[in-house]
């Protein structure tokens, strides 16, 4: 008896899989990763250690990433023209829309993958330095959808445009258009690359509405170009317009960040030290930077109740704490730098603003500043005054004498003097400033 074995032919891979794993699409995703990977590290000092800044920089990178995604899609869309295989491709049995999507979707997906990998790597590099808050990933879905939409729209342009220069021209036009749209109030809410507002985050439906706006518009254009029944483009177009209306009306798709308006305080010192809750982990470093000042103010009356880090005018009984942000100066990667400068600025805030000062008040200010937290560059300033005209030299001699007298006082007498000085300063009363 003879047994016949019939080999089952292996199923051919789906064209979409072949397009996604070979050729240009994976390179487009790698290019997005490399492009943003070259852009973001240059400003790492300003966002590493701050989740809000990290999210803002990732979102702001769309100004570069969106035109690039559109140019990548456009380049893929003009592939058959460059190969001169348009007529041959037109004889394929698949419908025009299917052929377009098989070619366009891999680029859109890989561009999204490149951006998501950038988000993941940026988050990992920021994590070790964060001193409060939590990752802000809510803009990521809407931003990813916008990149995919840009690639789809670019693909349609690449198929329709009769020139091989369409891709770079589209990228340049997209970059110019996005930058211009930011300053147009009528279209800014619909611009996916509009800069984030500090202290505000999107409401839960904003990424969904942004995805519906951008992808709906992209699919509407795609269907209008390639579908057999172009009326089917009306459905995604209606979704896009509904999303645009939602984004543009009402109170807008943004909500205040609750942490941005809350203070975290250390009340073990006088004045108490309070920082913004977004940077609560920085409180020990701020307290340490001000420890020399608070130690010298122990037992002194009329000091403000606290230093606050609100970012605006301090409330009654408060003094403005020097800002921790923008990162990259006083704070770099979760560590405070220039602690002496920070303490000097904090003491300057204790005095308040009384406008034009008399010579008596000015000499007292300089003496108090030099005693509590001297300017790190004070020696340079003194050297410059010593080389100045007679008035500057005379003021320098008087200032140095006042500083020396305050520093040489007995502890109890100095506390009494500082209490009277702070009371006079709070009332902006030159005559009440105690003499030195």
């Amino acid at each position: 008896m003879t047994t016949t074995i019939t080999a089952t032919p292996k199923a051919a891979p789906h064209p979409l899989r072949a397009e996604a794993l070979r050729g240009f699409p994976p390179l487009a995703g790698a290019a997005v990763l490399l492009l943003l990977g070259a852009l973001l590290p240059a400003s790492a000092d300003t966002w590493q250690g701050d989740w809000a800044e990290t999210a803002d920089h990732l979102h702001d990178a769309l100004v570069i990433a969106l035109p690039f995604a559109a140019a990548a899609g456009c380049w893929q869309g003009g592939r058959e023209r460059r190969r001169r295989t348009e007529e041959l491709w037109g004889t394929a049995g698949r419908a025009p829309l299917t052929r377009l999507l098989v070619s366009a979707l891999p680029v859109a997906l890989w561009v999204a993958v490149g951006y998501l990998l950038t988000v993941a790597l940026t988050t990992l590099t920021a994590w070790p330095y964060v001193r409060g808050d939590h990752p802000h990933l809510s803009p990521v879905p809407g931003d990813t959808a916008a990149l995919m939409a840009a690639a789809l729209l670019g693909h349609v342009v690449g198929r329709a445009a009769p020139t091989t220069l369409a891709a770079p021209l589209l990228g340049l036009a997209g970059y110019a258009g996005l930058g211009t749209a930011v300053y147009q109030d009528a279209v800014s809410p619909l611009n996916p690359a509009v800069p984030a507002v500090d202290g505000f985050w999107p409401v839960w439906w904003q990424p969904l509405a942004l995805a519906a706006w951008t992808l709906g518009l992209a699919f509407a254009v795609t269907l209008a170009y390639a579908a057999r029944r172009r009326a089917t483009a009306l459905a995604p177009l209606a979704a896009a317009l509904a999303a645009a209306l939602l984004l543009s009306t009402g109170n807008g798709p943004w909500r205040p960040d609750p942490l941005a308006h809350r203070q975290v305080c250390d009340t073990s010192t006088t004045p108490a030290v309070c920082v913004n809750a977004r940077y609560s982990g920085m409180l020990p470093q701020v307290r340490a930077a001000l420890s020399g000042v608070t130690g010298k103010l122990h037992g002194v009356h009329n000091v403000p109740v606290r230093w606050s880090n609100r970012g605006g005018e301090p409330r009654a009984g408060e003094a403005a704490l020097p800002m921790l942000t923008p990162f990259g100066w006083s704070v770099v990667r979760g560590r405070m730098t220039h602690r002496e400068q920070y303490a000097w600025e904090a003491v300057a805030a204790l005095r308040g603003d009384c406008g034009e000062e008399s010579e008596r008040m000015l000499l007292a200010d300089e003496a108090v500043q030099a005693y509590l937290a001297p300017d790190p560059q004070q020696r340079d300033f003194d050297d410059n005054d010593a080389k100045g005209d007679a008035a500057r030299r005379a003021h320098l001699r008087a200032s140095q004498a006042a500083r020396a007298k305050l520093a040489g006082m007995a502890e109890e007498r100095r506390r009494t003097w500082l209490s009277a000085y702070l009371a006079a300063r709070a009332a902006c009363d030159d005559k009440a400033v105690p003499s030195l």
Side-chain angles (χ1 to χ4, degrees):
M1 181 177 180
T2 303
T3 302
T4 303
I5 300 176
T6 304
T8 304
K10 187 177 181 180
H14 193 280
L16 186 61
R17 179 175 180 272
E19 288 277 4
L21 298 179
R22 296 199 305 265
F24 179 71
L27 295 178
V32 170
L33 179 61
L34 293 175
L35 175 66
L36 300 184
L39 179 67
L40 291 170
S43 58
D45 286 354
T46 65
W47 54 263
Q48 281 186 325
D50 185 347
W51 285 128
E53 282 296 323
T54 300
D56 288 350
H57 275 71
L58 283 169
H59 176 75
D60 293 345
L62 290 186
V63 174
I64 300 294
L66 283 172
F68 181 84
C74 186
W75 182 259
Q76 178 78 348
R79 178 181 62 178
E80 306 309 327
R81 182 181 300 105
R82 293 193 303 275
R83 294 176 175 177
R84 298 182 180 180
T85 57
E86 288 179 292
E87 294 184 4
L88 179 62
W89 188 245
T91 62
R94 294 186 177 88
L97 178 61
T98 302
R99 297 198 302 268
L100 186 148
L101 292 177
V102 165
S103 179
L105 287 179
V107 175
L109 292 173
W110 273 106
V111 164
V113 168
Y115 181 69
L116 292 174
L117 285 175
T118 303
V119 172
L121 292 174
T122 303
T123 302
L124 289 175
T125 58
W127 205 300
Y129 309 111
V130 172
R131 298 294 180 264
D133 207 353
H134 55 81
H136 294 282
L137 300 178
S138 54
V140 173
D143 294 348
T144 305
L147 285 168
M148 297 177 69
L152 287 174
L153 287 170
H155 192 93
V156 174
V157 173
R159 283 178 171 259
T163 174
T164 56
L165 295 176
L169 292 175
L170 180 62
L172 292 173
Y175 180 75
L178 287 174
T180 303
V182 169
Y183 302 100
Q184 305 297 321
D185 292 338
V187 297
S188 286
L190 305 180
N191 180 0
V194 65
V197 180
D198 186 42
F200 287 84
W201 292 107
V203 296
W204 66 269
W205 51 263
Q206 191 268 356
L208 301 177
L210 184 61
W213 158 242
T214 54
L215 286 175
L217 192 62
F219 278 114
V221 172
T222 301
L223 292 173
Y225 176 77
R228 291 177 179 175
R229 296 182 180 179
R230 295 184 176 179
T232 56
L234 295 176
L237 181 60
L241 293 178
L245 184 64
L246 186 62
L247 290 169
S248 304
T249 58
N251 295 326
W254 305 98
R255 60 176 176 82
D257 181 2
L259 289 182
H261 303 282
R262 188 160 63 85
Q263 299 280 294
V264 176
C265 299
D266 183 341
T267 57
S268 65
T269 65
T270 302
V273 180
C274 302
V275 301
N276 191 291
R278 283 164 56 177
Y279 320 110
S280 57
M282 291 296 303
L283 185 57
Q285 295 187 54
V286 174
R287 181 186 59 201
L290 299 178
S291 60
V293 179
T294 55
K296 293 173 183 177
L297 288 176
H298 181 70
V300 176
H301 302 292
N302 304 316
V303 297
V305 176
R306 67 183 66 86
W307 275 295
S308 65
N309 185 221
R310 302 185 188 278
E313 288 295 324
R315 298 176 182 177
E318 293 183 347
L321 191 71
M323 295 300 294
L324 298 172
T325 55
F327 281 9
W329 171 242
S330 61
V331 178
V332 178
R333 294 182 176 89
R335 287 191 172 273
M336 178 173 286
T337 60
H338 307 92
R339 292 193 175 195
E340 294 179 353
Q341 178 74 17
Y342 191 84
W344 176 81
E345 293 176 5
V347 170
L350 287 176
R351 301 197 303 257
D353 184 10
C354 292
E356 186 175 354
E357 298 181 350
S358 65
E359 182 71 9
R360 182 189 183 95
M361 180 78 81
L362 186 59
L363 289 174
D365 288 346
E366 292 174 353
V368 171
Q369 184 77 67
Y371 170 68
L372 293 178
D375 189 338
Q377 300 177 0
Q378 188 63 53
R379 180 174 296 180
D380 294 335
F381 294 143
D382 288 349
D383 289 343
N384 289 334
D385 287 341
K387 300 173 184 176
D389 56 23
R392 289 175 62 185
R393 294 196 302 271
H395 177 81
L396 175 61
R397 289 192 295 269
S399 178
Q400 288 175 331
R403 294 180 225 165
K405 188 171 184 179
L406 180 62
M409 284 183 181
E411 288 291 333
E412 188 61 35
R413 184 186 175 194
R414 185 165 48 230
R415 282 196 289 266
T416 302
W417 189 94
L418 287 172
S419 299
Y421 163 81
L422 290 171
R425 248 316 189 160
C428 291
D429 186 355
D430 288 357
K431 297 179 180 179
V433 176
S435 61
L436 280 172

